Amino acid sequence: MNLKKLSAVAISCVMATTLLTGCSDIKNTNDSPQTRIGMISKLNAAEESVNEHLKNLEKKYMAISIKLSHDYHYYDGINELIMALQANKIDEISTYGSVAKYIIAKNPNLELLNHTSDMFDSFCCAVRKEDSKLHEDLNSAIKSMKDDGTFDELIKTYIKDSTNIAEPIAVAMPKIDGAETIKVGVTGDLPPLDLILADGTPAGFNTAVIAEISKRIGKNIKLVQIESKSRAAALMSRQIDIVFWVTIPGEFWNKIENAPKDIDKPAEIETTLPYFEDEIVHIGLK
């Protein structure tokens, strides 16, 4: 959806409910059912806050007698989301284009739904705000990887050229003698971006990214499996030092009426430069 048309869409579709989930049923009457949309809990610690804000806008711009068009359901991981869809507990899964490709390849009874969205999220790393040196080092590494084409190659290998039929091979982390070891959280809930193999080994695009970052900042990496809903808590409790994160691009969120500042992250967390963007899509049962 073109954000320049948000004011018109507010009256006909849900002003900006499509920010995270795309446009579902535009036609909505008192008798029409809500579209039950499944999402991963606290992917960036803000989905529920974002959707509550957008629901309030929806109420403001739609007649009070008209039923809200979307009903959000949150699940702790990708497997729970897929099972909920298969069991008809939700109508759609809201996720990223690369993740949808992976899920559909593994589940032939699922399909990409034809929703117009044109929305995307930015992928980055998150650290504790107090770890300013680590934040600076990560940004420097990310910038150099962008400048020298490393990210283009990683995206081509792990996302664009991936068939999503065969599982990615686990990426070996560099071993730097005498270097500090930092712990990086991996959930496995956004394959092939963030993936845990059947044997429990982290794999996927993000692990390839952090392996290259390790070389450039001169630190060893220990991958730690965590739950999506515990990303921020694991970071702040020092269970991990870095976690993969997603943010809503400012050019989108800044155009939404009275949007809270920094809704993408808790105040005590700092995010790095983004290194990958992926569109938001929906998948459902065939």
Side-chain angles (χ1 to χ4, degrees), residues 42-203:
K42 296 184 178 179
L43 184 60
N44 63 4
E47 290 87 351
E48 294 181 44
S49 297
V50 170
N51 287 327
E52 283 304 311
H53 180 74
L54 296 178
K55 279 185 177 181
N56 289 335
L57 290 181
E58 182 176 4
K59 291 176 183 177
K60 176 179 178 180
Y61 283 96
M62 295 176 71
I64 193 67
S65 62
I66 297 179
K67 185 183 295 183
L68 300 182
S69 57
H70 299 94
D71 183 22
Y72 302 102
H73 297 254
Y74 298 91
Y75 294 85
D76 291 341
I78 193 69
N79 292 330
E80 290 87 346
L81 263 178
I82 295 172
M83 287 189 291
L85 182 62
Q86 303 276 20
N88 198 34
K89 293 181 178 179
I90 56 176
D91 302 306
E92 305 173 4
I93 292 175
S94 176
T95 188
Y96 299 105
S98 58
V99 179
K101 179 183 173 185
Y102 180 95
I103 293 173
I104 291 171
K106 304 293 183 184
N107 298 273
N109 66 326
L110 303 184
E111 65 179 355
L112 188 66
L113 300 179
N114 187 27
H115 292 332
T116 301
S117 174
D118 292 335
M119 302 295 179
F120 60 88
D121 277 351
S122 297
F123 288 73
C124 57
C125 295
V127 299
R128 293 179 291 273
K129 185 164 285 188
E130 64 193 66
D131 293 335
S132 57
K133 180 61 166 63
L134 177 58
H135 182 250
E136 181 182 331
D137 290 345
L138 291 174
N139 275 341
S140 178
I142 290 169
K143 184 178 185 306
S144 68
M145 290 167 67
K146 286 183 174 182
D147 291 344
D148 65 18
T150 299
F151 272 117
D152 292 337
E153 288 300 318
L154 292 177
I155 291 169
K156 183 175 185 296
T157 299
Y158 287 89
I159 299 173
K160 291 184 177 179
D161 289 353
S162 173
T163 64
N164 293 317
I165 299 298
E167 297 288 14
I169 298 173
V171 178
M173 294 296 116
K175 300 296 182 183
I176 305 172
D177 291 340
E180 176 188 6
T181 296
I182 54 178
K183 295 171 288 186
V184 178
V186 180
T187 69
D189 283 325
L190 291 177
L193 307 175
D194 197 327
L195 173 69
I196 303 293
L197 299 178
D199 64 0
T201 304

Side-chain angles (χ1 to χ4, degrees), residues 32 56 91 96-97 115 214 218 226 236 261 265:
S32 65
N56 289 335
D91 302 306
Y96 299 105
H115 292 332
S214 169
I226 60 172
M236 296 313 301
K261 300 298 183 184
K265 59 185 176 67

Side-chain angles (χ1 to χ4, degrees), residues 219-231:
K219 296 184 185 297
N220 290 313
I221 300 294
K222 179 180 179 181
L223 299 176
V224 179
Q225 186 174 359
I226 60 172
E227 294 183 331
S228 287
K229 64 180 181 180
S230 302
R231 288 170 184 246

